[in-house]
Amino acid sequence: MNRLDETHDTKRVSWVPGAEPGSDFPIQNLPIGIFSSDGEERRAGIAIGSHILDLAAAADLLDPTWARDFAQPVLNSWLSRGPADHRELRLRLSQLLSDPGRRDAVEPFLVPQVEARMHLPCLIGDYTDFYVGIHHATNVGRQFRPDNPLLPNYKYVPIGYHGRASSVRASGQPVVRPSGQRKPPEADAPEYGPSRRLDYELELGLWIGRGNDLGQPIPIGEAAGHIAGYCLLNDWSARDLQAWEYQPLGPFLAKNFLTSVSPWIVTAEALAPFRKAIPPRPDGDPQPLPYLKDAADTEAGAIGIQLEVTLSTERMRAEGVPPHVLSRGSADSAMYWSAAQIVTHHASNGCNLQPGDLIGTGTLSTADDYGLGSLLEISRGGKQPVTLATGETRCFLEDGDELSMRGWCEADGAVRIGLGECVGRVIG
Amino acid sequence: MNRLDETHDTKRVSWVPGAEPGSDFPIQNLPIGIFSSDGEERRAGIAIGSHILDLAAAADLLDPTWARDFAQPVLNSWLSRGPADHRELRLRLSQLLSDPGRRDAVEPFLVPQVEARMHLPCLIGDYTDFYVGIHHATNVGRQFRPDNPLLPNYKYVPIGYHGRASSVRASGQPVVRPSGQRKPPEADAPEYGPSRRLDYELELGLWIGRGNDLGQPIPIGEAAGHIAGYCLLNDWSARDLQAWEYQPLGPFLAKNFLTSVSPWIVTAEALAPFRKAIPPRPDGDPQPLPYLKDAADTEAGAIGIQLEVTLSTERMRAEGVPPHVLSRGSADSAMYWSAAQIVTHHASNGCNLQPGDLIGTGTLSTADDYGLGSLLEISRGGKQPVTLATGETRCFLEDGDELSMRGWCEADGAVRIGLGECVGRVIG
């Protein structure tokens, strides 16, 4: 995959404030995103410490031929350049932001993150959501089919479906409680009204870099070269709408009212030190079909990303009670299929992926109860409410609730990096 | 809906060759699309007879303030202008192209259709496919559940799901036979290979004009104002991939390798004379929930579009055998939900539609056997092959097969108009 180089050197530090080891954005991270500040146009930036380096303004310090891509309001054209340019940008940034001698030249192009507004990093041509979190699939399947939670295709097919691109938003977007048809089992007919079972789903998002032509599958050995980076993704879900509408064509209005993503694209290069072997398939499970099998992917296809979800209610915030931790877990143990397998499967029929496409992994729950990725699982389908420090209880999200996801990577011999956060507050 | 005006006058004729009554594109039609010719840039045009009026070049004869929209390679900005401008364009074109005195001024901007190449009319932000063809849903459901073909939600929910926007193409795009996982019932495990059950689905496409903001549903009484026009749509389907992959999240790779549309957007205004009352719900069926109910839609929500599908094999073409008619039927008797109900339902949870979005109706089959919209239905799931004049038989599509869809409208007191055609040839 991505070899380690000087940009991963644990001794390298940046002179930019807030970039100390332990932060989300040390010099070993350097995620790219789209920001605006002072009423100026949207443009590309890199997170470093508590600041953003304005890439559009600083292009001359890096490579002037990149300036046009960086000045655009979305990163699609930059992502389409592929891994070689992305690695080169990372190398030059790593040198620039660690060299005290360049501080005077660079400082004018740094914007404090607190003064900036983050936007969706890409114009998303298509958003696809997968279902590779096997513990989530098992937990949800068990609620419908106690004896047979996983369907026969699950261990052969990386299950996925198309989601809504128009309603993907960057972290911070308010969550307008959706209305829709809901029919409790005991009712004769459905009625239309606000969802009473509003939920979140903890996922990782993959941003596609280079695309493929229609009719041209992506071999598994080349899949990694099509993934530009990763983010956190919240697949907001209305469980009552979902239960009634989803047969036979899958979820639709239960999901497409909003999907939130953390705004920074943490690159495949930054994640290289945290790659690890995919856990072997459990005894009795089939091996992946040949088109999904690749030794390099098996050896380094999992990524050690730690995930945490917290909830704060209006009352908790008013009373100064800290957010309640709903889950803590690791992405790599949750994913039955790797990112490369997801990409290769998606294009295996000739479907064309495009730069800036977003792919969700599906909800990532751990095998134990500490890292469940949705309230549907935590509350056992709404039967076991969570009790908060205020005495309030929750089976699903109430108006005023704020949900926050965070992700980070830690490994021996590497500097911790963070994915930032993905936040949304429910409004009625 | 759209009132009839002078543009629908049956006595009005155009001086442009090929625009005679009986053709697809008389002056009562005036569909809009994107074309290129002579290696020039893509731009907007109007079909009239056997020609295309180059709107970008002719804007000064219509309204110079429209020139920028017409010069773009997609119609999104034009569609976003909404019904008032669309009606005004239609009125001015109708006058311009029927006035022999303007012939000298207009003729330089006419391009013969045979010299032009048609393109996808819009940059499609999202493509959604519905399932409102009740006879198709019943036919397909019966193959899986003989006693209970329609699921309990069908008569309450206009069922839909998100499709792939990146692989929608204009008529003429070759159909590369997709590969994927397929598992015959008798096999122990799936294998990956070319689809053996390649099929088509006959649908209508709706092009969205004005959009709605995220979180803002579209009331049923306003839905018609968001529909810019219609086209033919072929939802190419790989039945073997579909059967294995579609549970629990719906069709994915079985569909997203290609979707073809006829290139002309036949406007809601052109279709006004062919609107008619929605047939009453059969006895025992529930009435639509209030948010899907509107007297005006009930009175004029169906559109009398006639549909025909033909097939020609390589051998038929070599031997000069005319195409085989697979089906003939009418769209209005096939749709359980109207276009307005589709749009309102789609946005009923706050999902934002955008100008240029494409919505498929789902396969439109008639109640009888003469207008079945897919080979899956015609061949009874692959059990009853169609015999062609050459003696060849077909359960599903073979390499070299060419599939053509045509649509047109006829009604007393109106001039016939056509939707053009949607063609695709399968290559191995």
Side-chain angles (χ1 to χ4, degrees), chain A residues 115-417:
Chain A
E115 292 173 18
R117 184 168 164 209
M118 298 304 301
H119 304 278
L120 203 60
C122 298
L123 178 66
I124 301 171
D126 281 285
Y127 160 51
T128 311
D129 203 12
F130 276 79
Y131 196 55
V132 310
I134 188 167
H135 307 303
H136 169 75
T138 306
N139 294 339
V140 172
R142 192 174 287 133
Q143 295 188 12
F144 293 97
R145 299 171 300 274
D147 299 331
N148 183 27
L150 284 183
L151 292 167
N153 56 12
Y154 191 86
K155 292 180 176 176
Y156 291 98
V157 180
I159 297 288
Y161 73 111
H162 289 295
R164 182 84 192 170
S166 73
S167 54
V168 180
R169 293 288 184 278
S171 173
Q173 175 79 19
V175 186
V176 178
R177 180 179 296 275
S179 287
Q181 287 191 33
R182 38 185 170 65
K183 183 188 152 315
E186 67 278 10
D188 287 338
E191 52 179 21
Y192 175 84
S195 171
R196 293 171 182 149
R197 291 164 74 95
L198 182 60
D199 200 358
Y200 69 92
E201 291 194 336
L202 170 65
E203 307 193 13
L204 288 177
L206 281 60
W207 291 103
I208 295 297
R210 280 182 313 164
N212 62 303
D213 290 336
L214 186 64
Q216 297 292 329
I218 297 173
I220 183 78
E222 296 172 17
H226 292 266
I227 303 170
Y230 293 78
C231 65
L232 300 165
L233 185 150
N234 188 340
D235 178 24
W236 302 99
S237 298
R239 301 298 179 190
D240 39 2
L241 278 57
Q242 188 175 356
W244 174 235
E245 77 168 358
Y246 92 105
Q247 288 278 22
L249 299 182
F252 181 51
L253 300 188
K255 303 278 194 171
N256 68 8
F257 57 95
L258 181 65
T259 303
S260 300
V261 292
S262 58
W264 295 108
I265 301 179
V266 175
T267 64
E269 292 76 27
L271 291 166
F274 309 101
R275 294 212 162 252
K276 44 172 141 169
I278 294 178
R281 288 271 190 257
D283 280 349
D285 279 14
Q287 289 302 304
L289 292 187
Y291 78 102
L292 294 174
K293 211 164 180 175
D294 178 64
D297 187 51
T298 305
E299 275 165 34
I303 313 174
I305 298 180
Q306 302 302 310
L307 298 165
E308 182 184 89
V309 179
T310 61
L311 170 72
S312 78
T313 66
E314 210 165 282
R315 185 162 148 206
M316 288 166 73
R317 293 191 300 275
E319 296 182 6
V321 174
H324 178 90
V325 176
L326 287 171
S327 71
R328 268 195 197 117
S330 165
D332 57 317
S333 65
M335 290 173 65
Y336 194 79
W337 300 100
S338 70
Q341 286 170 327
I342 287 172
V343 165
T344 289
H345 181 67
H346 200 324
S348 65
N349 66 342
C351 178
N352 57 323
L353 309 184
Q354 300 183 115
D357 279 355
L358 176 65
I359 297 178
T361 54
T363 309
L364 299 178
S365 294
T366 53
D368 61 37
D369 285 352
Y370 302 105
L372 300 175
S374 67
L375 280 168
L376 182 72
E377 294 165 87
I378 295 172
S379 74
R380 304 297 188 274
K383 295 194 207 75
Q384 295 181 21
V386 176
T387 302
L388 307 171
T390 48
E392 297 172 287
T393 60
R394 288 290 184 274
C395 283
F396 294 99
L397 297 170
E398 303 289 335
D399 292 352
D401 287 359
E402 184 171 288
L403 209 286
S404 172
M405 300 176 168
R406 300 195 71 92
W408 65 91
C409 301
E410 290 172 324
D412 287 344
V415 174
R416 176 198 186 278
I417 65 170

Side-chain angles (χ1 to χ4, degrees), chain A residues 78-123:
Chain A
W78 172 254
L79 295 191
S80 73
R81 286 175 172 262
D85 275 343
H86 298 171
R87 268 197 299 271
E88 190 61 31
L89 170 63
R90 177 178 170 82
L91 179 63
R92 295 188 190 188
L93 284 168
S94 180
Q95 293 165 345
L96 189 69
L97 296 169
S98 61
D99 180 355
R102 310 291 299 277
R103 184 167 181 154
D104 286 351
V106 173
E107 257 181 352
F109 307 126
L110 289 174
V111 178
Q113 286 187 29
V114 292
E115 292 173 18
R117 184 168 164 209
M118 298 304 301
H119 304 278
L120 203 60
C122 298
L123 178 66

